[in-house]
Amino acid sequence: MVKKKSEVQEVKKNIRCLNIRNLNILKTNILFPMGGKSRRVLRGGVVYDEQRNRNSVNKSLALDLPDHVLELVVEHLCLPDLFRFGWVCKLWKSVCDPLQFQNHLPWLIGPFNNNKDDDDSSLAFDSTETAIGFFSLRNQRIYKAELPELSNRRICGSLPAGWLMTIHENSEIQLFNPFIMNRLSQTWSSASLIYLPPMSKLPGVTTELTENELFYVGTSIRVPAAHFRFPSKEMRDVCIDNVAMSSSLITKGTVIMVIQGVDCALAFYIIGGVEQVWTPVSRELGNSLFHDLTYYKGKFFAVHNNGYVVVIDGVKENSLFSPSLKIVVGRHPFKFADHHYILESSGDLLVVLRYLKALDDSKTWRLYRTVGFKVLKLDFTGRDISWVEVESIGDRSLFLGGNTSFTIQANEFSGCKPNCIYFTDNFYNYNREFGGHDLGVFSLQDGSIENFHYQSDDVVVMPPPVWYAPNLSC
């Protein structure tokens, strides 16, 4: 026990000298600055002294350090450094768990420091710091990542293969993938950042400048006589509710479909298109109040807040005919839900109903908790498409919230619970009175809910955490 304490003290003293930022992602050439002009390079577990130009074999760092010392080092590393650290050898990779494995459970991406008490907090990441949190369900730990690309931006969509759709108050809308990295320079690849048409190019939106402040104005589809007018920060937080893509491979012709926040209407943009604008699916009354959307068997489907499902046909750029909305199945026969999700699972098109309940505590009367889900699928086998209740999803698990809804095979992801729904909180109050706190795992087998906390039991987590799955594709 005395030996372990001395080892820990020695590592603590030397951690300051370990510039882990300079670790090369290639495991055959890991660099450790040692101070002064001398430096040592680790190749294949053998240390070489470059200054003296000799290959003096020292002890293997990978084999000499005990597990508890390696774990102490890992605690001081942020997310990108853990990736580099894990490339050294299998032992170091195992200590970096859960980062280094393709079968890691989807992450929660959110604030590293909760912004709920900031007077200027919103649904966007803080503009004064670049630290983002990646929360692992496996060990209930938040990993730190320095991502200045997300500073002062709101995540409006978390998509397969690690793509994040973000919005800045200056009107910029981007696709950003934190996991596309140049292995030689250890910087983000230009392919990881894609600019989309800005907020000002959303259907029915114009801008005006009043006393040097930018406002976004427009008309409502549902109430044509009603006009909205938002300052830039509020518009950033309300302009897009959800996103779906036709492919996780971002190439020319990839279609991005969004639910536009003010009316919850559908609009789309085609990557590589001539027109740098968001095209409305329709300006008719029926194109509003949608809860969620997905791409299924070559077409986009969306679920309405009343519980019916539509398919979007004719999504083409510069077409003489506008896209059309067609109801494929009417409202489901079950109790009205607080929210609906739509996604593909094992070849079936599922619609999930989410039910909330307000808490009775007078101090938190505005708060709520999820109390249950119901899973339905669309049966396409008959003459008419019909609803079928799904009592079990077998070895599948669903991930729902402010992300693009998705499913995984539970036995392929370590620690994943089968026949369960993992959910985050996509209900929040723009005055920061509540939101981001309703997180948990719902069991379809017995109806139980196991809640968990992102950072603490705070009733406000800003910005709200969303699921992030870089190891999935569509």
Side-chain angles (χ1 to χ4, degrees):
M1 192 68 182
V2 175
K3 181 179 179 180
K4 285 189 175 182
K5 284 185 177 179
S6 63
E7 289 171 344
V8 171
Q9 290 172 352
E10 183 68 19
V11 171
K12 282 184 176 179
K13 183 173 67 175
N14 291 323
I15 277 178
R16 299 184 186 92
C17 301
L18 178 61
N19 185 0
I20 205 73
R21 274 288 179 192
N22 291 327
L23 283 177
N24 193 293
I25 202 167
L26 299 176
K27 66 179 179 180
T28 56
N29 189 13
I30 307 296
L31 174 63
F32 290 87
M34 303 299 288
K37 295 182 179 179
S38 177
R39 66 176 184 172
R40 296 176 182 179
V41 178
L42 178 65
R43 292 189 178 94
V46 178
V47 177
Y48 298 86
D49 191 318
E50 288 192 334
Q51 184 186 31
R52 298 180 182 179
N53 195 26
R54 63 185 178 85
N55 296 343
S56 59
V57 180
N58 295 326
K59 292 182 179 180
S60 170
L61 292 176
L63 300 178
D64 193 46
L65 293 177
D67 288 353
H68 68 280
V69 178
L70 288 173
E71 290 173 359
L72 182 63
V73 174
V74 166
E75 288 180 1
H76 289 74
L77 306 182
C78 64
L79 189 74
D81 294 339
L82 281 168
F83 275 101
R84 302 179 182 103
F85 191 85
W87 277 79
V88 175
C89 63
K90 290 182 178 180
L91 174 62
W92 287 24
K93 183 175 183 177
S94 67
V95 176
C96 285
D97 178 73
L99 277 180
Q100 301 297 326
F101 302 97
Q102 287 296 312
N103 68 340
H104 178 258
L105 273 170
W107 298 84
L108 278 175
I109 183 170
F112 185 72
N113 298 305
N114 195 351
N115 299 331
K116 69 182 182 67
D117 296 323
D118 187 350
D119 291 338
D120 195 35
S121 69
S122 66
L123 303 184
F125 287 98
D126 196 331
S127 61
T128 62
E129 61 177 77
T130 58
I132 307 300
F134 283 78
F135 178 79
S136 169
L137 281 175
R138 288 186 59 177
N139 59 9
Q140 303 291 302
R141 179 182 170 189
I142 297 178
Y143 292 85
K144 181 180 180 181
E146 295 289 339
L147 295 175
E149 292 84 357
L150 295 182
S151 179
N152 202 23
R153 289 184 175 273
R154 170 186 165 240
I155 295 177
C156 63
S158 179
L159 300 149
W163 288 102
L164 298 172
M165 187 167 172
T166 68
I167 308 177
H168 195 281
E169 64 181 270
N170 66 6
S171 192
E172 281 184 353
I173 301 178
Q174 297 177 349
L175 285 175
F176 172 59
N177 194 326
F179 281 76
I180 296 180
M181 196 175 194
N182 187 314
R183 290 192 172 190
L184 296 178
S185 64
Q186 297 184 36
T187 57
W188 304 123
S189 166
S190 60
S192 70
L193 193 61
I194 299 173
Y195 288 87
L196 303 176
M199 289 193 295
S200 58
K201 297 298 182 179
L202 286 167
V205 176
T206 59
T207 59
E208 66 178 34
L209 195 63
T210 303
E211 296 180 355
N212 294 324
E213 184 175 1
L214 183 65
F215 287 86
Y216 293 81
V217 297
T219 57
S220 169
I221 294 177
R222 290 177 292 133
V223 187
H227 297 263
F228 63 82
R229 186 174 185 269
F230 294 111
S232 56
K233 287 185 178 180
E234 290 187 25
M235 186 63 179
R236 173 197 60 195
D237 290 349
V238 304
C239 68
I240 292 178
D241 268 358
N242 217 330
V243 187
M245 292 196 303
S246 60
S247 171
S248 55
L249 299 176
I250 309 296
T251 59
K252 184 177 181 179
T254 300
V255 181
I256 301 175
M257 186 78 67
V258 302
I259 296 179
Q260 192 176 339
V262 176
D263 285 307
C264 295
L266 299 170
F268 68 93
Y269 170 69
I270 300 177
I271 297 289
V274 177
E275 299 292 333
Q276 293 296 306
V277 297
W278 294 96
T279 303
V281 168
S282 171
R283 292 297 292 177
E284 301 297 325
L285 180 60
N287 182 24
S288 62
L289 300 179
F290 288 102
H291 275 176
D292 197 14
L293 72 163
T294 192
Y295 192 72
Y296 175 73
K297 294 187 176 181
K299 293 184 178 181
F300 287 96
F301 289 79
V303 58
H304 195 267
N305 74 339
N306 280 332
Y308 62 81
V309 175
V310 302
V311 62
I312 299 98
D313 286 321
V315 179
K316 298 178 182 178
E317 187 181 37
N318 297 326
S319 174
L320 295 176
F321 303 98
S322 299
S324 62
L325 293 173
K326 177 184 176 182
I327 297 178
V328 295
V329 62
R331 186 190 182 280
H332 58 76
F334 299 94
K335 178 183 175 183
F336 186 84
D338 294 284
H339 200 76
H340 300 79
Y341 304 91
I342 187 168
L343 70 159
E344 182 272 336
S345 179
S346 299
D348 291 324
L349 185 59
L350 304 183
V351 171
V352 183
L353 318 182
R354 183 173 183 173
Y355 298 99
L356 306 178
K357 181 181 179 181
L359 300 181
D360 295 330
D361 186 347
S362 60
K363 295 181 180 179
T364 56
W365 66 273
R366 292 179 181 272
L367 300 185
Y368 49 85
R369 285 292 185 193
T370 295
V371 294
F373 290 88
K374 187 175 291 292
V375 180
L376 313 174
K377 76 173 183 178
L378 275 66
D379 184 358
F380 291 89
T381 60
R383 182 176 179 180
D384 296 319
I385 301 173
S386 59
W387 292 104
V388 176
E389 183 175 3
V390 178
E391 296 183 354
S392 172
I393 54 175
D395 197 38
R396 307 294 296 184
S397 298
L398 310 182
F399 287 78
L400 312 178
N403 53 285
T404 296
S405 305
F406 63 89
T407 177
I408 63 175
Q409 187 75 23
N411 60 11
E412 296 178 358
F413 291 80
S414 179
C416 186
K417 298 179 180 180
N419 200 27
C420 285
I421 297 174
Y422 289 74
F423 61 92
T424 60
D425 191 351
N426 55 328
F427 305 92
Y428 33 75
N429 177 273
Y430 293 105
N431 294 323
R432 308 184 305 276
E433 295 171 324
F434 60 84
H437 64 282
D438 188 19
L439 315 171
V441 184
F442 173 81
S443 170
L444 280 167
Q445 181 176 353
D446 58 16
S448 63
I449 294 179
E450 179 185 351
N451 290 106
F452 59 88
H453 302 295
Y454 177 80
Q455 288 179 321
S456 65
D457 59 355
D458 287 335
V459 297
V460 180
V461 180
M462 289 293 166
V466 296
W467 294 115
Y468 182 67
N471 47 1
L472 296 181
S473 61
C474 65

